[in-house]
Amino acid sequence: MKRYLIATIICATISTVCCCDVVKLTFPSGFSLGTGSAAYQVEGAWNVSDKGENVWDYYVHNHPEIIADGSNGDVACNSYYKYKEDVALIKSTGFDFYRFSVSWSRVLPTGFANVISEDGLQYYKNLTAELVANGIEPIVTLYHWDHPQVIEEMGGWTNELIVDWFVAYARILFEALGDSVKRWVTINEPDSICGDGYESTRLAPGKIITDIGKYLCGHNVIKAHAKTYRMYEEEFRDRQGGVIGIVLPVSGYLPYNSSYEDAADTAFQFNCGWMAHPLYFGDYPEIMKTRVALVSESQGYPRSRLPEFSDEWKAIINGTNDYLGINHYTSRFVYNDPDEELGIYNSDSGLLMTVDSSWPVATSSWLYVYPEGFGYMLRKVRDEYNNPSTWVMENGYSGADNLEDYDRINYFYEYLKEMLIAVKRDGCNVEGYGVWSILDNFEWADGYTNRFGIIRVEFDDADTNRTTKLSQAWWKKVLSKRKLQSVPTPTTNTNTRTGLPWQK
Ligand SMILES: *[C@@H]1O[C@H](CO)[C@@H](O)[C@H](O)[C@H]1NC(C)=O
Ligand SMILES: *[C@@H]1O[C@H](CO)[C@@H](O)[C@H](O)[C@H]1NC(C)=O
Ligand SMILES: *[C@@H]1O[C@H](CO)[C@@H](O)[C@H](O)[C@H]1NC(C)=O
Ligand SMILES: *[C@@H]1O[C@H](CO)[C@@H](O)[C@H](O)[C@H]1NC(C)=O
Ligand SMILES: *[C@@H]1O[C@H](CO)[C@@H](O)[C@H](O)[C@H]1NC(C)=O
């Protein structure tokens, strides 16, 4: 710790160049570098064998108009059939881990634990075995947005019974894969599921349950995570020895100017704190409880729309995160909504967000590039939760369908540099980092229009052939040297986008 302190003081006096000398842009020994995917985004094979229908199958088939190109994940990358090729590519790139998710309705066709699909389970056993045989650590996400449609018909994440259904599903996977899998993710990005799935049409199930749906969903997500954690602790931990964490999408929330330090903190609490505070401290952040109660009252609700945990639940939830998984892509400047001075409440947080006009934007409309926000966020996490074990499970950049993806390499370079400074200079306990994504894949409501892969997939052809991009070659060098590599200079400008600020 002292080392970091001294480095920080020196750096503070000698400017940022010093940071990189201190950091040397090497990864600490034991640091884990990997990549990831999600079942619905890559597997395809939506109706093989006895697989049940999930919310995404249902959503894209019934509402193709919601998807930018009217496409769906029926075939996607065909990874259900091509997992050996995927694993070979992950291995040849040199990644340490592969984080994949399990499709609930592929394993449990009825949605419940009464029927286990042999084929479904076998697929995940095969994939896990293939990874292990190739020296790649499997990290398994139990749930990445695709719960069985039958459960949605009963309210999905707004029905508290999902907690028990989820635990029963998780138990089957711990039993089947837990001898090989030592790092589990319960739920990926509750904020997206609950905010976009139950208050907007952006993600399945696309139910607009204004004001109420999001928090009810979040409440049940926390309970499902915690009960699953406790079940693992009681039934599996001794013999399997794995760790369990949740994965939250955390942007960098920076004050618009120094008047808005509190606003930036509030933004963080409404985003990361919503889930992380209960898991580390047993209850929602105070600012969330106060603000949602206040705004609920102003709207005439007889009680706060943010549900409360009983003391019994607080005890169950408190301390149920072995590591904090974070997906980070972008940042925002935060300031207070001036309408509140007039007594008008436009949102629970009372905040507005903006970006700097100099920040480049990826093909995803929300993905503004601001690498400094990554380090800022990691330091905030360090300070809020007693420097928890932290795994960046997703970080990446969406671009055009382009093999010469210089903009993506730039993004990785600048973001990784900020992460290494946060780790080596500032002592942030980040132990792993995952590239999103190994393959171009079905990007939810954006369909196949935004490509995050370091490997291109030919979606228009039944062969779904894979082709490595320049960023894959760059990663291969980074992984073999365990050190950031310089960014190649484009010989021709292959992008229609304007240059990034560091391409001076
Ligand atoms: C599975 O879905 C495809 C469309 O994606 C369809 O062509 C095929 O007939 C379906 N197969 C079965 C067994 O239902
Ligand atoms: C699993 O692997 C076995 C042996 O290679 C193969 O026969 C089977 O088809 C695979 N099953 C799935 C679902 O991938
Ligand atoms: C921050 O920005 C607000 C709104 O533009 C302005 O009123 C305030 O004076 C600024 N504060 C500082 C410290 O610059
Ligand atoms: C959570 O656990 C910590 C440490 O055991 C304790 O200090 C704290 O009071 C608990 N929180 C709640 C809300 O019970
Ligand atoms: C896909 O790859 C296979 C094997 O390399 C090749 O035979 C096939 O022609 C390719 N398909 C397309 C459309 O390029």
Side-chain angles (χ1 to χ4, degrees), residues 256-260 335-336:
Y256 179 72
N257 66 30
S258 59
S259 304
Y260 297 118
Y335 58 102
N336 295 105

Side-chain angles (χ1 to χ4, degrees), residues 62-78:
N62 290 282
H63 294 285
E65 75 282 359
I66 304 257
I67 313 301
D69 51 6
S71 67
N72 59 53
D74 287 359
V75 177
C77 307
N78 240 328

Side-chain angles (χ1 to χ4, degrees), residues 42-57:
V42 301
E43 283 178 3
W46 79 279
N47 59 357
V48 299
S49 184
D50 51 354
K51 177 179 167 294
E53 187 183 38
N54 66 42
V55 280
W56 273 92
D57 296 324

Side-chain angles (χ1 to χ4, degrees), residues 80 83-84 119 122-123 126:
Y80 182 79
Y83 67 91
K84 286 191 179 172
D119 284 350
Q122 192 60 48
Y123 171 68
N126 284 9

Side-chain angles (χ1 to χ4, degrees), residues 230-242:
R230 296 298 181 204
M231 179 269 285
Y232 186 80
E233 204 169 45
E234 275 162 35
E235 301 175 26
F236 296 95
R237 179 96 79 185
D238 285 349
R239 61 191 161 102
Q240 296 188 345

Side-chain angles (χ1 to χ4, degrees), residues 55-56 59-60 63 65-68 145 189 191-208 363-367 398 442-447 449-450 452:
V55 280
W56 273 92
Y59 200 54
V60 296
H63 294 285
E65 75 282 359
I66 304 257
I67 313 301
W145 306 0
E189 295 194 9
D191 204 316
S192 311
I193 311 156
C194 300
D196 292 331
Y198 292 93
E199 272 198 8
S200 89
T201 57
R202 205 170 150 72
L203 297 180
K207 290 179 174 168
I208 301 181
T363 52
S364 305
S365 58
W366 49 269
L367 209 174
S398 60
F442 179 74
E443 182 53 23
W444 313 109
D446 293 332
T449 62
N450 290 336
F452 276 92

Side-chain angles (χ1 to χ4, degrees), residues 222-234:
I222 292 166
K223 289 179 172 179
H225 166 88
K227 278 272 198 177
T228 301
Y229 184 98
R230 296 298 181 204
M231 179 269 285
Y232 186 80
E233 204 169 45
E234 275 162 35

